[in-house]
Amino acid sequence: MEVFSPVLPQKPVNVFWRYRLQFSKMGLACYLSHHDLIRTFTRAIRRARLPVALTQGFNPHLDLSYGPPLPVGIAGEKEYLDLNLIRALSPASICSLLNKVLPEGLRVNKAWLMPKRSKDSSSLVTLICQATYLARIPLAEEIEAVELANYIRDFLAADEIVILRLIKPKKKSKEKEEKEKKQNIRPGIFSLKGQVKAKEMLLEMKLSLGSKGNVRPEQVLRVFLANFPAQVDLAEVKIIRTELGPPELLTP
Amino acid sequence: MLKQIEKILLKVQKPARYVGGEWNIIRKNWAETAVKVVFAFPDVYEIGMSHLGLQILYHIVNSRDDALMERVFAPWPDMEEMMRKHKIPLYSLESYRPVRDFDLFAFTLQSEMTYTNVLNMLDLAGLPLSSAERKDEDPLVIAGGPCACNPEPLADFIDLFVLGEGEEVIQELLDLYSLMSREGYSRRQFLYRAAKIAGIYVPSFYLVSYRPDGRIEAVKPVQDDLPARVTRRVVTNFDQISYPTRFIVPGIEIVHDRVMLEIMRGCAHGCRFCQAGIIYRPVREKTPATLLSQAEKLVYSTGYDEISLISLSSADYSRIKEVARLLLDRFEKQGVNVSLPSLRADTFSVALAQEVQRVRRAGLTFAPEAGSQRLRKVINKGITEEDLLGAVSSAFKAGWSAVKLYFMLGLPTETEEDVIEIARLAYRVLRVGIDQKISSARLKVTVSVSSFVPKAHTVFQWEPQGEVAVLRQRQKGLREKLKGRNLVFRWSEPEMSFIEAVLARGDRRLGRVIEEAWREGCRFDGWSEYFLYERWCNAFQRVGLDPAFYANRRYDYDEVLPWEHLNFGVSKDFLRREVELALKGQQTPTCQREKCAGCGLCPAFGVIPEIIASEVNEVAVRNPEVINGSF
Ligand code: SF4
């Protein structure tokens, strides 16, 4: 297998091969923050000796770009990362080189060589505007499937679901107090489906993500579970982000 | 177990501290491995994972077929609360097994201020605190590290201490354990045989008697065939000593998040307050060839982008320039930096830092330790004001705009005049920056002061610590003088240093105080937000011991010190001679460059300093073929 070292280009390199990596961040890796994830990938790439380009300047570093951060505690099944190489490698070998050196819970599922950068090849953060989450919710007592279906129907029937958000004052601003802000999250809930299995409830929700309205799964769950017939401890709920999308825009 | 743990993880800060799974960890087959060791670091994960000793021992123990080592750290108070509430015992990060299931529960003692955490971890593990109450089936609780050079305050809780460098003695201890566990043994039988290994100290086999005035009468082994003094271990042929080829790489940011390349052990300077300078003698260096090959393996097994050249005083390593150059030539193009954590205050060191450190981040730190030349001579800190100002000047020229200066308050013979000198020196340093036209927005001189703590086995081991009130007042005086623009003043709490001094020079009677303080809720005493001085004071009172007896008293040259029976190699005569020289303001040269200072260690232990500076060596190291061909 070909193995290269990351090389600091003598002259700025204009020719890159741009790859998109789809990876999963499951199990123990869900406790890593986005910063931890970036550090971990950066180190894994050095361990794999991929022929990456380093940025020019005072403190050369890897030029990687990621999709929207996952909050600590939420796992991700199909997350994305863009990477530039200065020599072409087959997508399959990128996956296998990286998977040999990634810690538990992180795994590259697929890689694609992306078309040469053109005006409309936007970054992952601008492309991604929705996310699907699966929440596994342990229940203290069993509930009927019909009961859940009705509850969901009523929940979605509302035109407005208003939550209060505490806004921390900006560092330099004169105001010291946290302010409450109202937000209607209903338009950002694209779908919500539920299922009960013994003493566990599975909720799948497709939510808006990014600058055009951001709804976080915990926000939905908090409202959803507030009047729920069975008691639930939010800290024991396991959430997985199963998909980022629209998926068809993310892969070539 | 992991399932149970995961239920509470989202209720605590930084859950990644408690789940393991980091790159390069080793999980061995539990059932097939004879001896199970859990390495316990009695402080938070980020500090423990930055500890080189952990990486070294993890590598050594896990390289054996018959043994495994896993890790555990002190849970932060939020996690402790959750663990107690949900009845989760202290568990290891590799196999998530209760610490109780291991054979050896091995602590490292890096600071006296972690002692309550040691007790807390024993308790969270579900073990009796007192060594006498533990049963045959409980793990053996062992401890090593720098504070083990006076381990007496923990004597009631720890079954055996490892004195000195652990690389070899851990093997001997595991050999013995492995042998005896096959034969079937009692706890006491094992300890008895272990006590005969050099460097192993079993406190329960030594009896301490006291005089009516509270001082120690004698420390005697319970049986004649045990050594009267236990000798610490020193490794030789340091260049070839076992060193990890892989480090565990945490996902969360830790304090020293880089490759730690130990280039040298020991320090030749002989600062009279410094414990590390004594307990890691003599100086031993590794060869550039060894370092280069270790760096090569470590960079690619960890993926780190920085190599830190670790030692007590890296600029003193004889071929530092050459090694820095070799590493830069090899790794610079790969985006890997080299850094030097400990700099002397002189132009050579700054030039070196300038050469290796591409990024001028964080400013440079120097440790003049004392403000006046007089006091620096007393403590044998061989730098002059010209050295420091020269170093600072080169630093500003080289592009740094922030410097940090470390001082100690309350050093022996210190007067108010010496303290004023700290302020004067800081202003002179600032002046250099202004003269060099460093923009006022960026220019920063930080003065950081801590309090002198007399430590076992040092020249100043007999000296009293200044009283808290006096230290406070000197600190306050200094703070007032350092209020200028571009000056930052930082200090440590004198009350913390006071407790540290008590424990550092304490005897076994203090065990009850530590236990009492722990019961009162003391934890993480080294963290000012958790340090509870009042509760410590109450603990002393309840037990009926006067902390000042340990911290503020001048120990007598003739009295039996609590650590008298632990032989760290440096002769008492040498230490006494040094105290006299100190009081006369006379310096003692370093034992590396000039000549042997006669501390007695090398002849006593049959070792010599291992210095690798030689031309022949250099050629041999760089081009072995040439040498071979020419003979
Ligand atoms: S005996 Fe001499 S050379 Fe050896 S450590 Fe002591 S002073 Fe240094």
Side-chain angles (χ1 to χ4, degrees):
Chain A
M1 186 167 299
E2 288 177 293
V3 176
F4 304 102
S5 299
V7 176
L8 187 67
Q10 296 302 309
K11 285 177 278 170
V13 180
N14 301 319
V15 202
F16 291 119
W17 281 264
R18 195 159 74 94
Y19 293 87
R20 176 153 298 165
L21 273 47
Q22 188 205 71
F23 64 95
S24 54
K25 181 172 180 267
M26 305 292 286
L28 300 180
C30 83
Y31 298 108
L32 298 179
S33 71
H34 191 59
H35 271 285
D36 301 335
L37 178 80
I38 294 175
R39 258 200 312 275
T40 300
F41 261 108
T42 308
R43 287 170 188 164
I45 286 167
R46 175 165 285 115
R47 296 194 287 261
R49 304 193 191 213
L50 293 184
V52 288
L54 296 170
T55 58
Q56 298 292 304
F58 225 27
N59 190 17
H61 57 273
L62 290 183
D63 193 6
L64 305 174
S65 65
Y66 292 82
L70 269 171
V72 171
I74 299 190
E77 253 170 12
K78 294 176 184 167
E79 300 291 308
Y80 294 91
L81 149 68
D82 282 352
L83 161 76
N84 291 330
L85 296 188
I86 54 171
R87 279 184 235 165
L89 281 183
S90 78
S93 66
I94 294 180
C95 292
S96 81
L97 284 171
L98 276 174
N99 284 334
K100 277 189 203 131
V101 293
L102 279 169
E104 272 178 72
L106 285 177
R107 201 180 160 74
V108 180
N109 308 322
K110 277 182 198 158
W112 297 270
L113 179 61
M114 300 297 279
K116 284 261 139 54
R117 211 186 267 282
S118 61
K119 271 188 203 125
D120 52 27
S121 66
S122 329
S123 73
L124 285 162
V125 201
T126 48
L127 280 174
I128 293 170
C129 59
Q130 69 187 42
T132 309
Y133 300 89
L134 182 71
R136 305 184 90 93
I137 305 166
L139 296 176
E141 60 257 46
E142 279 183 51
I143 61 158
E144 294 290 327
V146 216
E147 203 181 342
L148 177 62
N150 291 339
Y151 188 82
I152 292 178
R153 196 194 52 224
D154 294 346
F155 180 77
L156 291 177
D159 294 333
E160 277 200 341
I161 297 176
V162 178
I163 58 159
L164 285 179
R165 272 170 47 201
L166 282 182
I167 311 279
K168 284 207 181 111
K170 291 222 174 74
K171 265 206 180 132
K172 286 200 175 141
S173 99
K174 285 199 191 103
E175 284 173 56
K176 291 267 143 61
E177 299 271 295
E178 289 188 341
K179 271 204 298 198
E180 285 192 343
K181 204 183 144 194
K182 284 185 180 166
Q183 187 189 346
N184 177 14
I185 56 170
R186 181 60 190 90
I189 303 176
F190 302 146
S191 74
L192 182 84
K193 285 179 232 157
Q195 205 183 326
V196 266
K197 268 197 214 155
K199 282 192 165 183
E200 190 176 59
M201 167 165 71
L202 299 179
L203 277 190
E204 191 191 76
M205 40 199 162
K206 193 186 267 187
L207 307 176
S208 166
L209 177 68
S211 53
K212 290 199 197 96
N214 200 15
V215 178
R216 298 203 308 267
E218 322 87 83
Q219 293 173 328
V220 178
L221 284 176
R222 202 162 288 131
V223 188
F224 184 83
L225 296 171
N227 301 315
F228 199 69
Q231 264 226 321
V232 173
D233 181 355
L234 255 185
E236 289 185 14
V237 175
K238 287 240 141 221
I239 306 177
I240 303 173
R241 183 152 83 185
T242 50
E243 186 145 73
L244 287 168
E248 60 279 9
L249 293 185
L250 299 180
T251 53
Chain B
M1 180 98 155
L2 183 60
K3 266 221 165 106
Q4 235 184 314
I5 300 160
E6 286 204 88
K7 278 192 181 157
I8 58 171
L9 283 180
L10 291 182
K11 298 180 183 175
V12 301
Q13 298 173 44
K14 303 208 186 174
R17 285 169 175 167
Y18 310 109
V19 296
E22 303 93 329
W23 178 246
N24 283 337
I25 60 164
I26 297 168
R27 287 200 181 113
K28 288 196 169 180
N29 186 315
W30 185 267
E32 285 168 16
T33 310
V35 190
K36 291 114 175 164
V37 190
V38 59
F39 184 97
F41 197 98
D43 208 323
V44 73
Y45 177 88
E46 291 91 320
I47 296 189
M49 281 310 299
S50 302
H51 176 54
L52 179 59
L54 161 57
Q55 306 272 9
I56 292 178
L57 291 171
Y58 194 79
H59 160 78
I60 290 182
V61 175
N62 284 318
S63 301
R64 291 174 67 112
D65 290 334
D66 62 348
L68 61 79
M69 181 180 267
E70 305 194 356
R71 297 160 300 147
V72 63
F73 302 88
W76 197 245
D78 62 345
M79 181 65 173
E80 182 195 338
E81 195 193 321
M82 284 296 152
M83 288 169 72
R84 289 191 187 277
K85 193 167 146 199
H86 294 260
K87 306 220 162 26
I88 296 175
L90 194 69
Y91 61 89
S92 70
L93 292 185
E94 275 74 6
S95 64
Y96 313 109
R97 271 170 214 274
V99 160
R100 267 201 305 280
D101 293 355
F102 286 78
D103 300 310
L104 296 165
F105 187 4
F107 283 96
T108 182
L109 306 172
Q110 297 294 311
S111 150
E112 290 82 2
M113 304 309 270
T114 62
Y115 289 177
T116 54
N117 280 3
V118 171
L119 267 55
N120 200 37
M121 290 170 82
L122 287 170
D123 184 62
L124 282 167
L127 295 169
L129 298 186
S130 150
S131 143
E133 283 169 36
R134 287 192 292 263
K135 306 257 158 23
D136 273 357
E137 61 273 17
D138 289 330
L140 274 165
V141 179
I142 72 176
C147 293
C149 77
N150 176 27
E152 290 302 288
L154 291 179
D156 293 345
F157 314 112
I158 305 287
D159 301 325
L160 73 80
F161 290 99
V162 175
L163 308 186
E165 294 161 346
E167 282 104 334
E168 292 167 352
V169 63
I170 186 84
Q171 303 276 26
E172 294 159 28
L173 194 65
L174 292 178
D175 287 345
L176 180 67
Y177 193 93
S178 170
L179 182 81
M180 294 192 73
S181 64
R182 260 177 279 137
E183 292 171 355
Y185 68 99
S186 80
R187 203 176 182 83
R188 208 186 141 78
Q189 282 167 331
F190 174 78
L191 288 173
Y192 176 69
R193 282 187 56 182
K196 295 192 169 170
I197 299 176
I200 301 284
Y201 167 52
V202 179
S204 56
F205 291 162
Y206 291 78
L207 291 180
V208 184
S209 53
Y210 300 92
R211 305 199 321 198
D213 64 5
R215 293 187 291 176
I216 292 171
E217 169 90 44
V219 182
K220 289 213 174 79
V222 290
Q223 263 174 257
D224 290 345
D225 57 348
L226 292 166
R229 293 186 83 205
V230 183
T231 300
R232 74 129 162 143
R233 296 295 291 261
V234 193
V235 298
T236 54
N237 198 2
F238 185 62
D239 186 51
Q240 296 303 313
I241 199 82
S242 177
Y243 201 71
T245 48
R246 311 172 76 87
F247 278 5
I248 302 169
V249 185
I252 60 171
E253 197 168 357
I254 57 170
V255 181
H256 299 296
D257 218 358
R258 49 192 79 98
V259 168
M260 291 182 273
L261 194 60
E262 189 184 24
I263 57 175
M264 164 174 89
R265 201 171 281 178
C267 172
H269 281 288
C271 296
R272 291 175 177 134
F273 56 83
C274 179
Q275 194 176 47
I278 300 276
I279 65 176
Y280 295 107
R281 282 184 187 215
V283 169
R284 285 147 295 161
E285 299 178 329
K286 285 187 187 166
T287 58
T290 299
L291 293 171
L292 193 64
S293 104
Q294 290 175 348
E296 178 79 31
K297 287 186 193 117
L298 284 168
V299 164
Y300 289 106
S301 66
T302 61
Y304 275 129
D305 63 359
E306 184 175 335
I307 304 166
S308 185
L309 305 181
I310 302 276
S311 74
L312 290 167
S313 177
S314 293
D316 289 317
Y317 171 82
S318 9
R319 284 153 76 178
I320 188 66
K321 277 201 155 165
E322 177 193 342
V323 163
R325 199 61 265 153
L326 280 171
L327 291 172
L328 281 173
D329 287 349
R330 171 64 187 83
F331 294 111
E332 203 172 18
K333 289 207 171 66
Q334 326 288 316
V336 178
N337 292 319
V338 174
S339 66
L340 295 153
S342 50
L343 287 180
R344 283 185 330 229
D346 57 24
T347 41
F348 173 82
S349 302
V350 176
L352 195 65
Q354 182 185 359
E355 199 174 316
V356 302
Q357 249 131 296
R358 205 167 331 118
V359 197
R360 303 273 181 270
R361 52 139 201 246
L364 285 187
T365 300
F366 303 108
E369 309 287 2
S372 69
Q373 189 61 37
R374 183 198 73 77
L375 194 50
R376 282 196 296 273
K377 281 193 172 150
V378 169
I379 62 175
N380 205 32
K381 188 90 201 178
I383 63 156
T384 62
E385 184 165 327
E386 291 78 69
D387 290 334
L388 177 70
L389 294 179
V392 167
S393 170
S394 341
F396 286 138
K397 263 191 214 123
W400 277 282
S401 53
V403 292
K404 199 172 188 185
L405 308 173
Y406 269 112
F407 296 96
M408 241 184 242
L409 286 182
L411 284 162
T413 79
E414 181 190 79
T415 62
E416 292 197 12
E417 183 56 29
D418 294 309
V419 181
I420 295 171
E421 278 296 316
I422 295 179
R424 289 203 193 115
L425 196 55
Y427 277 103
R428 268 172 236 146
V429 166
L430 192 62
R431 184 81 249 159
V432 175
I434 294 169
D435 289 348
Q436 302 230 1
K437 309 242 172 352
I438 304 292
S439 94
S440 180
R442 291 190 316 154
L443 179 61
K444 191 163 106 183
V445 176
T446 304
V447 173
S448 180
V449 297
S450 61
S451 308
F452 162 68
V453 177
K455 296 252 164 150
H457 304 288
T458 65
V459 176
F460 289 159
Q461 64 180 351
W462 295 282
E463 295 295 315
Q465 184 181 52
E467 274 160 35
V468 168
V470 176
L471 292 171
R472 268 250 169 271
Q473 187 217 328
R474 297 218 161 142
Q475 221 175 57
K476 200 167 148 242
L478 189 54
R479 185 159 70 230
E480 261 143 38
K481 292 209 165 49
L482 288 173
K483 279 204 168 132
R485 198 173 147 74
N486 300 330
L487 281 171
V488 179
F489 184 64
R490 285 188 204 292
W491 65 95
S492 65
E493 301 300 331
E495 290 83 359
M496 275 166 86
S497 309
F498 176 61
I499 299 300
E500 186 185 339
V502 174
L503 298 174
R505 293 204 301 176
D507 54 46
R508 325 189 147 178
R509 289 171 297 187
L510 287 172
R512 287 172 56 212
V513 177
I514 300 171
E515 184 172 343
E516 195 63 34
W518 167 74
R519 289 202 192 281
E520 284 297 300
C522 290
R523 313 268 189 283
F524 288 95
D525 296 302
W527 296 74
S528 48
E529 67 264 46
Y530 285 106
F531 177 65
L532 302 167
Y533 184 55
E534 293 271 294
R535 297 200 192 171
W536 272 100
C537 295
N538 294 342
F540 281 107
Q541 216 159 36
R542 231 164 299 149
V543 174
L545 284 175
D546 176 14
F549 175 82
Y550 299 99
N552 307 124
R553 182 170 67 93
R554 179 180 299 284
Y555 285 21
D556 230 25
Y557 287 144
D558 305 322
E559 84 179 75
V560 179
L561 299 168
W563 52 92
E564 193 89 38
H565 54 304
L566 308 179
N567 178 10
F568 272 68
V570 173
S571 77
K572 210 168 180 178
D573 285 344
F574 170 80
L575 295 176
R576 281 193 62 170
R577 211 156 63 228
E578 279 288 292
V579 182
E580 270 144 37
L581 291 176
L583 295 178
K584 283 191 243 156
Q586 283 181 20
Q587 288 179 264
T588 300
T590 63
C591 75
Q592 187 176 23
R593 294 231 152 65
E594 282 101 295
K595 58 175 178 76
C596 167
C599 78
L601 179 132
C602 292
F605 288 169
V607 297
I608 46 160
E610 297 172 6
I611 312 290
I612 45 90
S614 102
E615 284 307 309
V616 182
N617 233 339
E618 187 158 321
V619 182
V621 163
R622 278 188 157 169
N623 285 316
E625 326 70 60
V626 176
I627 295 281
N628 290 340
S630 65
F631 279 102

